[in-house]
Amino acid sequence: MARYQTAKIGVKGVIRRGDRVLLLHRREDLDLAPDLWDLPGGGVEVGDDLEESLAREVREETGFLAKVGRPVHAWIARSRFTTGRRITSVIVCYECSTRTTRAPRLAPEEHTEFRWVRLQEIGRYRLPPNQPVAIRKALAGR
């Protein structure tokens, strides 16, 4: 008999402005992925729509009203909290767009700064695994 994994669901968005994508720097004191650069996004609650969850997360983390486009990459992440607790998540990453040209309004309890980064600069930033792949796929689709 097959054994199935139990996993949380997460969503991430590649928000593009010209030839750059938005990265957010996670606070150093967070329990999960501290001090990493990250794409906007977060967890999906039971019963929530993936695209609506991503739009909500982008709004909460940046203040942007995002239009969620096509999914570009999905993966299974095995993450460890600083407390030692581990979780398995399925992350679905989407192309996103926004009409605003203003700077993001960061949620200070989660992020300390932001950068608009060109694809060739992505390697300079410490990102969670698979996010650089998702960014490349999103930019290749345009």
Side-chain angles (χ1 to χ4, degrees):
M1 185 162 158
R3 287 187 34 185
Y4 295 97
Q5 291 189 41
T6 300
K8 293 189 176 269
I9 306 298
V11 287
K12 293 289 179 180
V14 178
I15 301 174
R16 185 173 177 178
R17 184 175 285 173
D19 66 343
R20 298 171 190 252
V21 297
L22 179 63
L23 296 182
L24 306 177
H25 184 255
R26 294 177 56 81
R27 290 172 45 132
E28 294 177 12
D29 60 349
L30 293 175
D31 290 340
L32 184 62
D35 199 27
L36 293 180
W37 289 87
D38 195 13
L39 294 168
V44 177
E45 300 295 324
V46 173
D48 283 358
D49 177 91
L50 297 179
E51 292 86 359
E52 289 173 6
S53 292
L54 180 55
R56 182 193 69 243
E57 288 289 338
V58 168
R59 187 176 58 256
E60 289 173 0
E61 294 181 0
T62 67
F64 292 168
L65 295 177
K67 179 181 178 187
V68 177
R70 70 182 178 96
V72 292
H73 190 57
W75 64 92
I76 295 175
R78 290 180 179 85
S79 304
R80 186 177 57 190
F81 288 81
T82 57
T83 60
R85 185 172 74 104
R86 295 175 185 267
I87 61 167
T88 299
S89 301
V90 174
I91 310 294
V92 183
C93 189
Y94 292 82
E95 284 183 331
C96 291
S97 61
T98 182
R99 290 186 177 180
T100 187
T101 57
R102 69 172 173 75
R105 185 187 71 241
L106 299 181
E109 65 279 1
E110 194 166 352
H111 299 105
T112 59
E113 60 184 305
F114 71 92
R115 299 263 168 80
W116 291 98
V117 179
R118 288 187 173 96
L119 179 59
Q120 58 269 32
E121 299 169 333
I122 293 295
R124 297 180 194 162
Y125 295 83
R126 287 184 47 228
L127 290 155
N130 281 293
Q131 287 192 18
V133 173
I135 293 167
R136 285 186 192 94
K137 286 182 175 183
L139 294 180
R142 297 226 171 196

